[in-house]
C-alpha cells in the first residue's frame, strides 16, 4: 500500500503498477500499519488523527484519542489477535489501545517532556518480549536530558535508555557541528529481537565520537556503539560505499 493525498493505492506486482484502492477522506500522514497476523486490521495517520479499518482497508473510521501528526504504530504481537493491543505515536505523545484500535489511552508516564520525535516497537510472541522505544528532544538542563526512552510494560512507564557509548555532548566541538547537543529523531527495532535497536543522531562535531552516525544497542539501550562511519577521513573505521564526501 502507498498513500497518495487522501487515497490509498495498492500494488499486486511488487510496485510495478499501482491502482487506487480506497479513499480515506483526509490527507494521509505518517505510517500505514497492517496487523501481521490479522491483515484485515489496519491503522493510518491522517491530518491530526488516526483512522482505523477492520476490513482490509476498504472502509475507514476516525478514532478518538491520538492527536497530532502521526509518526508510527506498533501491533503488540504478544497480545491475542482477537483483542490486539496496539500503539500510536504522534508528535504530541504515545497512546495505547487494548481493543484493536477502538479506544485509546495516553501513555507518557516517566517522559520529562512529551514532544515525540521518533517511535518504534518490537514484540516477539515466542519470547513474550515487548519493548517500546521513543525519542524526545535533547536539552541541556544541568547536563544532557532527553534522547532515547524505553518501556518494557506496554507504555505504563518510560525510562531513559541513553547508556554508555552514545553521544551525550552538550557543546559543539567544531564549526561543522549540527548543533550544541545531539538530537535523536529516528529509531528502529524489530519483532525478531526487540532488544536490538538502532538510532541516528545529529552531530556535535565532524570527527568521532561527535560525528553524525548510526548507533546500535543489543541490550535495549543499556549500552551503545557507533556502527556508521561515512567519511574517508575516519581511516580504518570508514565503512560506507564511496560517496560525494
Amino acid at each position: 500500500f502507498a498513500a497518495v493525498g487522501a487515497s490509498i493505492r495498492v500494488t499486486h506486482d511488487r510496485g510495478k503498477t499501482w491502482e487506487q484502492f480506497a479513499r480515506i477522506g483526509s490527507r494521509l500522514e505518517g505510517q500505514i500499519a497492517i496487523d501481521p497476523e490479522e491483515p484485515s486490521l489496519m491503522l493510518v495517520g491522517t491530518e491530526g488523527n488516526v483512522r482505523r479499518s477492520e476490513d482490509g482497508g476498504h472502509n475507514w473510521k476516525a478514532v478518538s484519542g491520538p492527536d497530532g501528526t502521526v509518526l508510527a504504530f506498533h501491533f503488540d504481537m504478544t497480545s491475542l489477535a482477537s483483542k490486539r493491543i496496539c500503539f500510536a505515536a504522534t508528535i504530541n505523545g504515545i497512546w495505547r489501545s487494548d481493543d484493536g484500535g477502538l479506544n485509546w489511552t495516553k501513555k507518557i508516564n516517566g517522559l520529562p517532556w512529551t514532544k515525540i520525535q521518533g517511535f518504534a516497537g518490537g514484540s516477539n510472541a515466542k519470547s513474550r518480549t515487548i519493548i517500546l522505544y521513543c525519542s524526545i528532544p535533547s536539552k541541556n538542563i544541568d547536563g544532557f536530558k532527553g534522547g532515547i526512552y524505553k518501556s518494557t510494560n506496554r507504555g505504563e512507564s518510560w525510562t531513559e535508555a541513553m547508556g554508555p557509548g552514545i553521544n551525550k555532548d552538550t557543546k559543539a566541538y567544531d564549526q561543522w557541528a549540527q548543533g550544541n547537543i545531539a538530537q535523536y529523531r529516528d529509531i528502529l527495532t524489530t519483532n525478531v529481537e526487540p532488544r536490538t535497536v538502532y538510532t541516528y543522531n545529529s552531530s556535535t562535531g565532524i570527527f568521532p565520537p561527535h560525528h553524525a552516525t548510526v548507533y546500535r544497542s543489543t541490550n535495549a539501550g543499556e549500552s551503545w556503539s557507533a556502527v556508521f562511519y561515512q567519511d574517508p577521513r575516519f581511516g580504518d573505521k570508514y565503512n560506507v560505499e564511496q560517496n560525494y564526501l
Side-chain angles (χ1 to χ4, degrees), residues 173-209:
Y173 280 80
D174 56 44
Q175 67 192 75
W176 298 283
Q178 294 173 307
N180 293 326
I181 192 166
Q183 295 292 338
Y184 297 88
R185 295 187 175 87
D186 301 297
I187 191 160
L188 181 68
T189 187
T190 70
N191 288 340
V192 175
E193 181 43 81
R195 290 176 56 82
T196 297
V197 57
Y198 295 83
T199 188
Y200 185 83
N201 71 296
S202 60
S203 73
T204 51
I206 192 69
F207 287 99

PDB file of all heavy atoms in Angstrom, residues 173-209:
ATOM      1  N   TYR A 173      31.833  20.865  19.086  1.00  0.00           N
ATOM      2  CA  TYR A 173      33.266  20.686  19.144  1.00  0.00           C
ATOM      3  C   TYR A 173      34.003  21.295  17.965  1.00  0.00           C
ATOM      4  O   TYR A 173      35.239  21.379  17.984  1.00  0.00           O
ATOM      5  CB  TYR A 173      33.605  19.196  19.279  1.00  0.00           C
ATOM      6  CG  TYR A 173      33.450  18.711  20.699  1.00  0.00           C
ATOM      7  CD1 TYR A 173      32.201  18.403  21.209  1.00  0.00           C
ATOM      8  CD2 TYR A 173      34.550  18.613  21.543  1.00  0.00           C
ATOM      9  CE1 TYR A 173      32.044  17.971  22.521  1.00  0.00           C
ATOM     10  CE2 TYR A 173      34.411  18.195  22.853  1.00  0.00           C
ATOM     11  CZ  TYR A 173      33.149  17.878  23.347  1.00  0.00           C
ATOM     12  OH  TYR A 173      33.004  17.483  24.656  1.00  0.00           O
ATOM     13  N   ASP A 174      33.304  21.722  16.932  1.00  0.00           N
ATOM     14  CA  ASP A 174      33.943  22.400  15.820  1.00  0.00           C
ATOM     15  C   ASP A 174      32.888  23.164  15.022  1.00  0.00           C
ATOM     16  O   ASP A 174      31.689  23.115  15.331  1.00  0.00           O
ATOM     17  CB  ASP A 174      34.720  21.424  14.922  1.00  0.00           C
ATOM     18  CG  ASP A 174      33.858  20.288  14.383  1.00  0.00           C
ATOM     19  OD1 ASP A 174      32.724  20.548  13.951  1.00  0.00           O
ATOM     20  OD2 ASP A 174      34.323  19.130  14.397  1.00  0.00           O
ATOM     21  N   GLN A 175      33.330  23.861  13.991  1.00  0.00           N
ATOM     22  CA  GLN A 175      32.443  24.725  13.219  1.00  0.00           C
ATOM     23  C   GLN A 175      31.469  23.945  12.336  1.00  0.00           C
ATOM     24  O   GLN A 175      30.510  24.509  11.814  1.00  0.00           O
ATOM     25  CB  GLN A 175      33.275  25.660  12.347  1.00  0.00           C
ATOM     26  CG  GLN A 175      34.057  24.938  11.234  1.00  0.00           C
ATOM     27  CD  GLN A 175      35.074  25.827  10.571  1.00  0.00           C
ATOM     28  OE1 GLN A 175      36.124  26.105  11.129  1.00  0.00           O
ATOM     29  NE2 GLN A 175      34.751  26.302   9.372  1.00  0.00           N
ATOM     30  N   TRP A 176      31.695  22.630  12.172  1.00  0.00           N
ATOM     31  CA  TRP A 176      30.827  21.823  11.318  1.00  0.00           C
ATOM     32  C   TRP A 176      29.743  21.085  12.102  1.00  0.00           C
ATOM     33  O   TRP A 176      28.963  20.330  11.531  1.00  0.00           O
ATOM     34  CB  TRP A 176      31.662  20.819  10.531  1.00  0.00           C
ATOM     35  CG  TRP A 176      32.645  21.485   9.628  1.00  0.00           C
ATOM     36  CD1 TRP A 176      32.401  22.078   8.427  1.00  0.00           C
ATOM     37  CD2 TRP A 176      34.047  21.636   9.879  1.00  0.00           C
ATOM     38  NE1 TRP A 176      33.555  22.602   7.912  1.00  0.00           N
ATOM     39  CE2 TRP A 176      34.598  22.344   8.775  1.00  0.00           C
ATOM     40  CE3 TRP A 176      34.905  21.254  10.917  1.00  0.00           C
ATOM     41  CZ2 TRP A 176      35.946  22.671   8.690  1.00  0.00           C
ATOM     42  CZ3 TRP A 176      36.247  21.580  10.830  1.00  0.00           C
ATOM     43  CH2 TRP A 176      36.755  22.279   9.736  1.00  0.00           C
ATOM     44  N   ALA A 177      29.691  21.297  13.388  1.00  0.00           N
ATOM     45  CA  ALA A 177      28.671  20.649  14.217  1.00  0.00           C
ATOM     46  C   ALA A 177      27.279  21.064  13.767  1.00  0.00           C
ATOM     47  O   ALA A 177      27.048  22.210  13.357  1.00  0.00           O
ATOM     48  CB  ALA A 177      28.874  21.016  15.682  1.00  0.00           C
ATOM     49  N   GLN A 178      26.341  20.137  13.859  1.00  0.00           N
ATOM     50  CA  GLN A 178      24.951  20.436  13.505  1.00  0.00           C
ATOM     51  C   GLN A 178      24.176  21.041  14.664  1.00  0.00           C
ATOM     52  O   GLN A 178      23.006  21.362  14.532  1.00  0.00           O
ATOM     53  CB  GLN A 178      24.265  19.150  13.027  1.00  0.00           C
ATOM     54  CG  GLN A 178      24.846  18.625  11.722  1.00  0.00           C
ATOM     55  CD  GLN A 178      24.299  17.265  11.341  1.00  0.00           C
ATOM     56  OE1 GLN A 178      24.347  16.325  12.137  1.00  0.00           O
ATOM     57  NE2 GLN A 178      23.776  17.153  10.143  1.00  0.00           N
ATOM     58  N   GLY A 179      24.837  21.192  15.800  1.00  0.00           N
ATOM     59  CA  GLY A 179      24.209  21.802  16.961  1.00  0.00           C
ATOM     60  C   GLY A 179      25.067  21.602  18.192  1.00  0.00           C
ATOM     61  O   GLY A 179      26.098  20.904  18.157  1.00  0.00           O
ATOM     62  N   ASN A 180      24.653  22.205  19.298  1.00  0.00           N
ATOM     63  CA  ASN A 180      25.392  22.076  20.551  1.00  0.00           C
ATOM     64  C   ASN A 180      25.070  20.799  21.307  1.00  0.00           C
ATOM     65  O   ASN A 180      25.758  20.453  22.265  1.00  0.00           O
ATOM     66  CB  ASN A 180      25.094  23.276  21.458  1.00  0.00           C
ATOM     67  CG  ASN A 180      25.635  24.571  20.906  1.00  0.00           C
ATOM     68  OD1 ASN A 180      26.682  24.590  20.262  1.00  0.00           O
ATOM     69  ND2 ASN A 180      24.933  25.664  21.143  1.00  0.00           N
ATOM     70  N   ILE A 181      24.011  20.098  20.881  1.00  0.00           N
ATOM     71  CA  ILE A 181      23.593  18.880  21.575  1.00  0.00           C
ATOM     72  C   ILE A 181      23.055  17.900  20.546  1.00  0.00           C
ATOM     73  O   ILE A 181      22.399  18.308  19.568  1.00  0.00           O
ATOM     74  CB  ILE A 181      22.538  19.204  22.660  1.00  0.00           C
ATOM     75  CG1 ILE A 181      22.310  18.010  23.590  1.00  0.00           C
ATOM     76  CG2 ILE A 181      21.248  19.710  22.044  1.00  0.00           C
ATOM     77  CD1 ILE A 181      21.539  18.377  24.857  1.00  0.00           C
ATOM     78  N   ALA A 182      23.378  16.632  20.700  1.00  0.00           N
ATOM     79  CA  ALA A 182      22.946  15.618  19.726  1.00  0.00           C
ATOM     80  C   ALA A 182      21.439  15.393  19.834  1.00  0.00           C
ATOM     81  O   ALA A 182      20.898  15.237  20.924  1.00  0.00           O
ATOM     82  CB  ALA A 182      23.689  14.310  19.972  1.00  0.00           C
ATOM     83  N   GLN A 183      20.781  15.382  18.685  1.00  0.00           N
ATOM     84  CA  GLN A 183      19.348  15.086  18.617  1.00  0.00           C
ATOM     85  C   GLN A 183      19.141  13.708  17.990  1.00  0.00           C
ATOM     86  O   GLN A 183      19.860  13.320  17.063  1.00  0.00           O
ATOM     87  CB  GLN A 183      18.609  16.144  17.794  1.00  0.00           C
ATOM     88  CG  GLN A 183      18.619  17.536  18.385  1.00  0.00           C
ATOM     89  CD  GLN A 183      17.816  17.645  19.664  1.00  0.00           C
ATOM     90  OE1 GLN A 183      16.937  16.832  19.933  1.00  0.00           O
ATOM     91  NE2 GLN A 183      18.099  18.671  20.460  1.00  0.00           N
ATOM     92  N   TYR A 184      18.138  13.006  18.508  1.00  0.00           N
ATOM     93  CA  TYR A 184      17.831  11.650  18.037  1.00  0.00           C
ATOM     94  C   TYR A 184      16.398  11.650  17.509  1.00  0.00           C
ATOM     95  O   TYR A 184      15.452  11.742  18.277  1.00  0.00           O
ATOM     96  CB  TYR A 184      18.012  10.645  19.175  1.00  0.00           C
ATOM     97  CG  TYR A 184      19.441  10.605  19.654  1.00  0.00           C
ATOM     98  CD1 TYR A 184      19.880  11.482  20.647  1.00  0.00           C
ATOM     99  CD2 TYR A 184      20.356   9.747  19.068  1.00  0.00           C
ATOM    100  CE1 TYR A 184      21.209  11.469  21.060  1.00  0.00           C
ATOM    101  CE2 TYR A 184      21.685   9.731  19.481  1.00  0.00           C
ATOM    102  CZ  TYR A 184      22.102  10.598  20.469  1.00  0.00           C
ATOM    103  OH  TYR A 184      23.419  10.588  20.863  1.00  0.00           O
ATOM    104  N   ARG A 185      16.246  11.581  16.195  1.00  0.00           N
ATOM    105  CA  ARG A 185      14.921  11.704  15.590  1.00  0.00           C
ATOM    106  C   ARG A 185      14.403  10.397  15.005  1.00  0.00           C
ATOM    107  O   ARG A 185      13.208  10.248  14.812  1.00  0.00           O
ATOM    108  CB  ARG A 185      14.939  12.794  14.513  1.00  0.00           C
ATOM    109  CG  ARG A 185      15.211  14.189  15.080  1.00  0.00           C
ATOM    110  CD  ARG A 185      15.066  15.267  14.033  1.00  0.00           C
ATOM    111  NE  ARG A 185      15.222  16.594  14.616  1.00  0.00           N
ATOM    112  CZ  ARG A 185      16.390  17.214  14.780  1.00  0.00           C
ATOM    113  NH1 ARG A 185      17.508  16.610  14.409  1.00  0.00           N
ATOM    114  NH2 ARG A 185      16.454  18.415  15.316  1.00  0.00           N
ATOM    115  N   ASP A 186      15.297   9.486  14.703  1.00  0.00           N
ATOM    116  CA  ASP A 186      14.894   8.218  14.088  1.00  0.00           C
ATOM    117  C   ASP A 186      15.311   7.071  14.991  1.00  0.00           C
ATOM    118  O   ASP A 186      16.404   7.077  15.558  1.00  0.00           O
ATOM    119  CB  ASP A 186      15.554   8.046  12.714  1.00  0.00           C
ATOM    120  CG  ASP A 186      15.183   9.174  11.772  1.00  0.00           C
ATOM    121  OD1 ASP A 186      13.996   9.305  11.466  1.00  0.00           O
ATOM    122  OD2 ASP A 186      16.085   9.929  11.359  1.00  0.00           O
ATOM    123  N   ILE A 187      14.429   6.071  15.099  1.00  0.00           N
ATOM    124  CA  ILE A 187      14.730   4.913  15.935  1.00  0.00           C
ATOM    125  C   ILE A 187      14.055   3.691  15.317  1.00  0.00           C
ATOM    126  O   ILE A 187      12.966   3.813  14.731  1.00  0.00           O
ATOM    127  CB  ILE A 187      14.290   5.151  17.396  1.00  0.00           C
ATOM    128  CG1 ILE A 187      14.852   4.071  18.319  1.00  0.00           C
ATOM    129  CG2 ILE A 187      12.792   5.290  17.518  1.00  0.00           C
ATOM    130  CD1 ILE A 187      14.872   4.498  19.770  1.00  0.00           C
ATOM    131  N   LEU A 188      14.699   2.545  15.419  1.00  0.00           N
ATOM    132  CA  LEU A 188      14.202   1.351  14.737  1.00  0.00           C
ATOM    133  C   LEU A 188      14.542   0.093  15.528  1.00  0.00           C
ATOM    134  O   LEU A 188      15.654  -0.059  16.022  1.00  0.00           O
ATOM    135  CB  LEU A 188      14.825   1.249  13.337  1.00  0.00           C
ATOM    136  CG  LEU A 188      14.399   0.067  12.477  1.00  0.00           C
ATOM    137  CD1 LEU A 188      12.932   0.191  12.077  1.00  0.00           C
ATOM    138  CD2 LEU A 188      15.275  -0.041  11.243  1.00  0.00           C
ATOM    139  N   THR A 189      13.547  -0.784  15.641  1.00  0.00           N
ATOM    140  CA  THR A 189      13.772  -2.124  16.174  1.00  0.00           C
ATOM    141  C   THR A 189      12.898  -3.090  15.391  1.00  0.00           C
ATOM    142  O   THR A 189      12.217  -2.680  14.444  1.00  0.00           O
ATOM    143  CB  THR A 189      13.471  -2.185  17.688  1.00  0.00           C
ATOM    144  OG1 THR A 189      13.874  -3.466  18.186  1.00  0.00           O
ATOM    145  CG2 THR A 189      11.995  -1.982  17.971  1.00  0.00           C
ATOM    146  N   THR A 190      12.922  -4.378  15.763  1.00  0.00           N
ATOM    147  CA  THR A 190      12.139  -5.370  15.032  1.00  0.00           C
ATOM    148  C   THR A 190      11.451  -6.316  16.008  1.00  0.00           C
ATOM    149  O   THR A 190      11.819  -6.403  17.186  1.00  0.00           O
ATOM    150  CB  THR A 190      13.025  -6.221  14.106  1.00  0.00           C
ATOM    151  OG1 THR A 190      13.852  -7.078  14.905  1.00  0.00           O
ATOM    152  CG2 THR A 190      13.884  -5.348  13.218  1.00  0.00           C
ATOM    153  N   ASN A 191      10.480  -7.055  15.483  1.00  0.00           N
ATOM    154  CA  ASN A 191       9.822  -8.089  16.280  1.00  0.00           C
ATOM    155  C   ASN A 191      10.724  -9.306  16.489  1.00  0.00           C
ATOM    156  O   ASN A 191      10.507 -10.090  17.415  1.00  0.00           O
ATOM    157  CB  ASN A 191       8.519  -8.538  15.617  1.00  0.00           C
ATOM    158  CG  ASN A 191       7.435  -7.490  15.709  1.00  0.00           C
ATOM    159  OD1 ASN A 191       7.487  -6.597  16.549  1.00  0.00           O
ATOM    160  ND2 ASN A 191       6.442  -7.577  14.837  1.00  0.00           N
ATOM    161  N   VAL A 192      11.711  -9.470  15.623  1.00  0.00           N
ATOM    162  CA  VAL A 192      12.609 -10.627  15.743  1.00  0.00           C
ATOM    163  C   VAL A 192      13.426 -10.529  17.026  1.00  0.00           C
ATOM    164  O   VAL A 192      13.541 -11.497  17.778  1.00  0.00           O
ATOM    165  CB  VAL A 192      13.536 -10.723  14.518  1.00  0.00           C
ATOM    166  CG1 VAL A 192      14.549 -11.862  14.704  1.00  0.00           C
ATOM    167  CG2 VAL A 192      12.718 -10.936  13.254  1.00  0.00           C
ATOM    168  N   GLU A 193      13.980  -9.342  17.303  1.00  0.00           N
ATOM    169  CA  GLU A 193      14.786  -9.141  18.501  1.00  0.00           C
ATOM    170  C   GLU A 193      14.566  -7.727  19.034  1.00  0.00           C
ATOM    171  O   GLU A 193      15.284  -6.789  18.650  1.00  0.00           O
ATOM    172  CB  GLU A 193      16.271  -9.383  18.207  1.00  0.00           C
ATOM    173  CG  GLU A 193      17.179  -9.211  19.417  1.00  0.00           C
ATOM    174  CD  GLU A 193      16.625  -9.825  20.684  1.00  0.00           C
ATOM    175  OE1 GLU A 193      16.770 -11.057  20.838  1.00  0.00           O
ATOM    176  OE2 GLU A 193      16.022  -9.105  21.504  1.00  0.00           O
ATOM    177  N   PRO A 194      13.571  -7.553  19.878  1.00  0.00           N
ATOM    178  CA  PRO A 194      13.243  -6.209  20.372  1.00  0.00           C
ATOM    179  C   PRO A 194      14.348  -5.533  21.171  1.00  0.00           C
ATOM    180  O   PRO A 194      14.332  -4.311  21.329  1.00  0.00           O
ATOM    181  CB  PRO A 194      11.998  -6.453  21.242  1.00  0.00           C
ATOM    182  CG  PRO A 194      11.398  -7.714  20.721  1.00  0.00           C
ATOM    183  CD  PRO A 194      12.577  -8.547  20.327  1.00  0.00           C
ATOM    184  N   ARG A 195      15.303  -6.294  21.700  1.00  0.00           N
ATOM    185  CA  ARG A 195      16.383  -5.689  22.477  1.00  0.00           C
ATOM    186  C   ARG A 195      17.447  -5.052  21.584  1.00  0.00           C
ATOM    187  O   ARG A 195      18.288  -4.287  22.074  1.00  0.00           O
ATOM    188  CB  ARG A 195      17.028  -6.737  23.394  1.00  0.00           C
ATOM    189  CG  ARG A 195      16.130  -7.165  24.541  1.00  0.00           C
ATOM    190  CD  ARG A 195      16.760  -8.267  25.385  1.00  0.00           C
ATOM    191  NE  ARG A 195      18.062  -7.880  25.911  1.00  0.00           N
ATOM    192  CZ  ARG A 195      18.245  -7.132  27.000  1.00  0.00           C
ATOM    193  NH1 ARG A 195      17.198  -6.672  27.654  1.00  0.00           N
ATOM    194  NH2 ARG A 195      19.463  -6.838  27.419  1.00  0.00           N
ATOM    195  N   THR A 196      17.439  -5.365  20.311  1.00  0.00           N
ATOM    196  CA  THR A 196      18.357  -4.721  19.373  1.00  0.00           C
ATOM    197  C   THR A 196      17.668  -3.507  18.767  1.00  0.00           C
ATOM    198  O   THR A 196      16.582  -3.617  18.198  1.00  0.00           O
ATOM    199  CB  THR A 196      18.789  -5.697  18.267  1.00  0.00           C
ATOM    200  OG1 THR A 196      19.510  -6.791  18.859  1.00  0.00           O
ATOM    201  CG2 THR A 196      19.685  -5.005  17.253  1.00  0.00           C
ATOM    202  N   VAL A 197      18.303  -2.352  18.889  1.00  0.00           N
ATOM    203  CA  VAL A 197      17.679  -1.104  18.473  1.00  0.00           C
ATOM    204  C   VAL A 197      18.737  -0.197  17.845  1.00  0.00           C
ATOM    205  O   VAL A 197      19.910  -0.227  18.228  1.00  0.00           O
ATOM    206  CB  VAL A 197      16.987  -0.420  19.682  1.00  0.00           C
ATOM    207  CG1 VAL A 197      17.966  -0.176  20.824  1.00  0.00           C
ATOM    208  CG2 VAL A 197      16.294   0.860  19.275  1.00  0.00           C
ATOM    209  N   TYR A 198      18.309   0.567  16.852  1.00  0.00           N
ATOM    210  CA  TYR A 198      19.188   1.496  16.147  1.00  0.00           C
ATOM    211  C   TYR A 198      18.625   2.911  16.234  1.00  0.00           C
ATOM    212  O   TYR A 198      17.407   3.098  16.250  1.00  0.00           O
ATOM    213  CB  TYR A 198      19.297   1.121  14.662  1.00  0.00           C
ATOM    214  CG  TYR A 198      19.951  -0.203  14.382  1.00  0.00           C
ATOM    215  CD1 TYR A 198      19.226  -1.385  14.452  1.00  0.00           C
ATOM    216  CD2 TYR A 198      21.302  -0.279  14.029  1.00  0.00           C
ATOM    217  CE1 TYR A 198      19.817  -2.612  14.194  1.00  0.00           C
ATOM    218  CE2 TYR A 198      21.905  -1.506  13.762  1.00  0.00           C
ATOM    219  CZ  TYR A 198      21.160  -2.660  13.842  1.00  0.00           C
ATOM    220  OH  TYR A 198      21.745  -3.870  13.583  1.00  0.00           O
ATOM    221  N   THR A 199      19.524   3.894  16.269  1.00  0.00           N
ATOM    222  CA  THR A 199      19.098   5.286  16.210  1.00  0.00           C
ATOM    223  C   THR A 199      20.142   6.089  15.456  1.00  0.00           C
ATOM    224  O   THR A 199      21.292   5.664  15.315  1.00  0.00           O
ATOM    225  CB  THR A 199      18.876   5.879  17.610  1.00  0.00           C
ATOM    226  OG1 THR A 199      18.292   7.186  17.503  1.00  0.00           O
ATOM    227  CG2 THR A 199      20.180   5.965  18.387  1.00  0.00           C
ATOM    228  N   TYR A 200      19.723   7.246  14.941  1.00  0.00           N
ATOM    229  CA  TYR A 200      20.606   8.122  14.181  1.00  0.00           C
ATOM    230  C   TYR A 200      20.632   9.483  14.859  1.00  0.00           C
ATOM    231  O   TYR A 200      19.591   9.978  15.298  1.00  0.00           O
ATOM    232  CB  TYR A 200      20.120   8.266  12.735  1.00  0.00           C
ATOM    233  CG  TYR A 200      21.051   9.063  11.855  1.00  0.00           C
ATOM    234  CD1 TYR A 200      22.148   8.460  11.256  1.00  0.00           C
ATOM    235  CD2 TYR A 200      20.843  10.425  11.633  1.00  0.00           C
ATOM    236  CE1 TYR A 200      23.011   9.177  10.451  1.00  0.00           C
ATOM    237  CE2 TYR A 200      21.701  11.154  10.832  1.00  0.00           C
ATOM    238  CZ  TYR A 200      22.786  10.538  10.239  1.00  0.00           C
ATOM    239  OH  TYR A 200      23.643  11.256   9.457  1.00  0.00           O
ATOM    240  N   ASN A 201      21.809  10.094  14.956  1.00  0.00           N
ATOM    241  CA  ASN A 201      21.927  11.366  15.671  1.00  0.00           C
ATOM    242  C   ASN A 201      22.459  12.483  14.790  1.00  0.00           C
ATOM    243  O   ASN A 201      23.143  12.236  13.793  1.00  0.00           O
ATOM    244  CB  ASN A 201      22.878  11.202  16.865  1.00  0.00           C
ATOM    245  CG  ASN A 201      24.323  11.033  16.425  1.00  0.00           C
ATOM    246  OD1 ASN A 201      24.661  10.040  15.768  1.00  0.00           O
ATOM    247  ND2 ASN A 201      25.180  11.977  16.766  1.00  0.00           N
ATOM    248  N   SER A 202      22.147  13.711  15.167  1.00  0.00           N
ATOM    249  CA  SER A 202      22.805  14.865  14.577  1.00  0.00           C
ATOM    250  C   SER A 202      24.155  15.053  15.268  1.00  0.00           C
ATOM    251  O   SER A 202      24.343  14.657  16.417  1.00  0.00           O
ATOM    252  CB  SER A 202      21.938  16.112  14.727  1.00  0.00           C
ATOM    253  OG  SER A 202      21.693  16.394  16.096  1.00  0.00           O
ATOM    254  N   SER A 203      25.079  15.672  14.583  1.00  0.00           N
ATOM    255  CA  SER A 203      26.451  15.724  15.069  1.00  0.00           C
ATOM    256  C   SER A 203      26.683  16.913  16.001  1.00  0.00           C
ATOM    257  O   SER A 203      25.990  17.935  15.944  1.00  0.00           O
ATOM    258  CB  SER A 203      27.425  15.818  13.898  1.00  0.00           C
ATOM    259  OG  SER A 203      27.385  17.116  13.319  1.00  0.00           O
ATOM    260  N   THR A 204      27.694  16.758  16.853  1.00  0.00           N
ATOM    261  CA  THR A 204      28.223  17.878  17.622  1.00  0.00           C
ATOM    262  C   THR A 204      29.659  18.164  17.204  1.00  0.00           C
ATOM    263  O   THR A 204      30.369  18.912  17.862  1.00  0.00           O
ATOM    264  CB  THR A 204      28.163  17.571  19.136  1.00  0.00           C
ATOM    265  OG1 THR A 204      28.774  16.292  19.381  1.00  0.00           O
ATOM    266  CG2 THR A 204      26.717  17.538  19.616  1.00  0.00           C
ATOM    267  N   GLY A 205      30.095  17.569  16.109  1.00  0.00           N
ATOM    268  CA  GLY A 205      31.426  17.761  15.558  1.00  0.00           C
ATOM    269  C   GLY A 205      31.625  16.809  14.398  1.00  0.00           C
ATOM    270  O   GLY A 205      30.901  15.820  14.241  1.00  0.00           O
ATOM    271  N   ILE A 206      32.606  17.072  13.564  1.00  0.00           N
ATOM    272  CA  ILE A 206      32.790  16.285  12.351  1.00  0.00           C
ATOM    273  C   ILE A 206      33.427  14.928  12.617  1.00  0.00           C
ATOM    274  O   ILE A 206      33.111  13.941  11.951  1.00  0.00           O
ATOM    275  CB  ILE A 206      33.632  17.067  11.307  1.00  0.00           C
ATOM    276  CG1 ILE A 206      33.579  16.380   9.942  1.00  0.00           C
ATOM    277  CG2 ILE A 206      35.063  17.250  11.787  1.00  0.00           C
ATOM    278  CD1 ILE A 206      32.237  16.456   9.281  1.00  0.00           C
ATOM    279  N   PHE A 207      34.311  14.833  13.624  1.00  0.00           N
ATOM    280  CA  PHE A 207      35.047  13.601  13.851  1.00  0.00           C
ATOM    281  C   PHE A 207      34.472  12.822  15.042  1.00  0.00           C
ATOM    282  O   PHE A 207      33.914  13.409  15.972  1.00  0.00           O
ATOM    283  CB  PHE A 207      36.530  13.899  14.082  1.00  0.00           C
ATOM    284  CG  PHE A 207      37.260  14.312  12.839  1.00  0.00           C
ATOM    285  CD1 PHE A 207      37.512  15.652  12.573  1.00  0.00           C
ATOM    286  CD2 PHE A 207      37.673  13.356  11.919  1.00  0.00           C
ATOM    287  CE1 PHE A 207      38.170  16.025  11.415  1.00  0.00           C
ATOM    288  CE2 PHE A 207      38.336  13.717  10.759  1.00  0.00           C
ATOM    289  CZ  PHE A 207      38.579  15.067  10.498  1.00  0.00           C
ATOM    290  N   PRO A 208      34.592  11.477  14.994  1.00  0.00           N
ATOM    291  CA  PRO A 208      34.163  10.658  16.134  1.00  0.00           C
ATOM    292  C   PRO A 208      34.887  11.102  17.413  1.00  0.00           C
ATOM    293  O   PRO A 208      36.048  11.512  17.345  1.00  0.00           O
ATOM    294  CB  PRO A 208      34.572   9.247  15.726  1.00  0.00           C
ATOM    295  CG  PRO A 208      34.660   9.288  14.228  1.00  0.00           C
ATOM    296  CD  PRO A 208      35.140  10.671  13.896  1.00  0.00           C
ATOM    297  N   PRO A 209      34.233  11.038  18.568  1.00  0.00           N
ATOM    298  CA  PRO A 209      32.910  10.451  18.812  1.00  0.00           C
ATOM    299  C   PRO A 209      31.753  11.438  18.701  1.00  0.00           C
ATOM    300  O   PRO A 209      30.667  11.177  19.203  1.00  0.00           O
ATOM    301  CB  PRO A 209      33.047   9.958  20.254  1.00  0.00           C
ATOM    302  CG  PRO A 209      33.913  11.006  20.900  1.00  0.00           C
ATOM    303  CD  PRO A 209      34.901  11.408  19.835  1.00  0.00           C
TER     304      PRO A 209
END
